[in-house]
Amino acid sequence: MQISIQKRSVEDLKTKPEFNSNLGFGKFFTDHMFIMDYRNNKWINPRIVPHGVLSLDPSAMCFHYGQEIFEGMKVFRGTDESVIFFRSMDNFRRMNNSAARMEMPEVDIDVVTEGLRELVKLDKSWIPNQKGYSLYIRPTMIATEGVLGVRPSDEYMFFIIACPVASFFPEQQGKLKPVKIFVSTQYVRAAPGGTGSAKVAGNYAASLKAQVQARKFNCQQVMWLDGIEHRYVEEVGTMNIFAVFNDTLVTSPLTGTILPGITRDSVMVLAKHLGIEVVERRFTIEELLSGMKDKTVSEVFGSGTAAIISPVSSMIYKEQSHVVGNGETGPVAEKIYNALLDIQYGQAEDPFGWTTVLK
Ligand code: COI
């Protein structure tokens, strides 16, 4: 499919923000975006246009029944000024899995990869050139048919927008600074048979109530327990969760209620590569807290595209605070973080084939 490109004129280019800690996360968007439409059972009209408002009928189905999926991936600036995509194909593959769960059409990975490439090429000057900063990419699909029937839409829009970002947690600003998490005992993120393993907007909307509660306890993220027994640790806010139990890195298995994080997978692969034993198994909040108490759990950290690796310093559970280790970043999180960033920024060899350099 031929991608048409409508560039902004030089006078119309946006003023770029400074690439420093004020950049924050997801506040400034590049000059262009990629869009394509779905009509009569096929994707049509792939195009790059100036980033701007979308015009949608208020009856568009995405507004009423939440048929919306998205992805989060990053593009990095290597030290030699190269432009490095990190596992973008894996993100598009996951997006197609989310589409299948939501009765939405899959995208052709070659077409969206080409759209992404062209977009990044055009907006290349928006990629920050310091470690800890990157260009965050948000592919999104929405149901656009204007009808109030509860059924899968016949029409969709797919778009990719991009924004230069600093740390996801304002407290971190390019450093591996631990965050505090709030264990929700009242709300659940996902239940068996639900949409927990898909990246759908509704999962995040449903999490906001607990996130506001977490903020009251000065916590940045919510730890989610399973939806049946409210005991098994599943995820942390926008991240998958890892704990170091007696030198073994443990993470919850992908049982259908957990988002299959691309960073989660990268962490497991890197940990094994670094000689750390990795086990996917269910563990309860009681097991985690008692391990923290008797020091058999030395570290807890989350992983995600936006959050990268975020060590956890303490947890609030049933209004009690529990400290992880000595409350500082642990050696396992640090090692994996450095190994991951070195690959992402092209400072270390990538033996896993995760990176693609823009030609
Ligand atoms: C990501 O890590 O990329 C996410 O999508 C999480 C969040 C920013 C919603």
Side-chain angles (χ1 to χ4, degrees), residues 31-290:
D31 282 310
H32 300 90
M33 59 187 180
F34 171 80
I35 305 191
M36 59 183 187
D37 305 305
Y38 188 81
R39 299 284 183 278
N40 302 318
N41 302 316
K42 55 178 194 293
W43 287 106
I44 55 166
N45 197 12
R47 57 202 184 274
I48 288 179
V49 293
H51 179 113
V53 293
L54 299 175
S55 170
L56 291 178
D57 195 285
S59 64
M61 290 171 109
C62 60
F63 295 132
H64 304 278
Y65 314 117
Q67 239 191 329
E68 195 272 9
I69 57 175
F70 69 94
E71 270 304 320
M73 58 176 92
K74 281 177 174 169
V75 175
F76 302 87
R77 176 80 73 179
T79 31
D80 55 356
E81 289 298 303
S82 57
V83 172
I84 304 170
F85 294 83
F86 184 74
R87 303 193 72 170
S88 51
M89 295 278 227
D90 290 324
N91 282 94
F92 286 134
R93 279 187 204 108
R94 185 174 66 177
M95 188 165 202
N96 278 343
N97 291 338
S98 300
R101 175 62 183 83
M102 299 298 280
E103 282 297 336
M104 296 169 90
E106 292 190 2
V107 291
D108 180 329
I109 293 184
D110 291 340
V111 173
V112 292
T113 299
E114 187 55 18
L116 172 63
R117 231 178 61 87
E118 289 297 331
L119 175 65
V120 170
K121 224 158 115 186
L122 203 56
D123 287 347
K124 198 166 137 184
S125 59
W126 288 80
I127 310 171
N129 62 356
Q130 291 168 63
K131 218 168 176 179
Y133 294 78
S134 57
L135 188 71
Y136 184 78
I137 307 288
R138 174 53 60 85
T140 306
M141 193 194 297
I142 54 174
T144 50
E145 187 184 351
V147 83
L148 296 185
V150 183
R151 59 161 173 78
S153 173
D154 281 338
E155 296 176 1
Y156 296 88
M157 180 188 280
F158 170 90
F159 58 84
I160 303 178
I161 52 175
C163 50
V165 296
S167 293
F168 181 65
F169 296 114
E171 298 82 357
Q172 292 187 327
Q173 294 312 353
K175 287 187 264 7
L176 200 51
K177 195 157 171 272
V179 294
K180 277 177 70 177
I181 59 179
F182 173 80
V183 185
S184 182
T185 47
Q186 193 178 358
Y187 301 107
V188 293
R189 177 187 170 276
T195 57
S197 64
K199 202 157 175 73
V200 308
N203 290 348
Y204 295 85
S207 76
L208 298 177
K209 191 91 186 158
Q211 193 184 308
V212 169
Q213 257 182 348
R215 279 277 161 201
K216 292 192 182 133
F217 287 89
N218 203 19
C219 293
Q220 290 88 354
Q221 292 273 286
V222 176
M223 178 179 273
W224 299 105
L225 304 178
D226 75 281
I228 306 243
E229 294 181 60
H230 296 228
R231 291 181 66 215
Y232 292 97
V233 174
E234 297 217 319
E235 253 182 78
V236 178
T238 60
M239 307 185 283
N240 291 111
I241 183 81
F242 288 88
V244 180
F245 282 90
N246 290 319
D247 296 329
T248 297
L249 187 59
V250 176
T251 192
S252 315
L254 302 178
T255 51
T257 51
I258 292 177
L259 188 78
I262 310 294
T263 313
R264 172 187 181 277
D265 182 70
S266 307
V267 167
M268 292 198 297
V269 170
L270 280 172
K272 286 179 199 159
H273 190 70
L274 293 166
I276 301 164
E277 194 186 340
V278 181
V279 172
E280 288 175 86
R281 70 162 174 90
R282 294 185 95 194
F283 56 96
T284 63
I285 183 69
E286 293 87 1
E287 184 188 354
L288 183 64
L289 295 178
S290 82

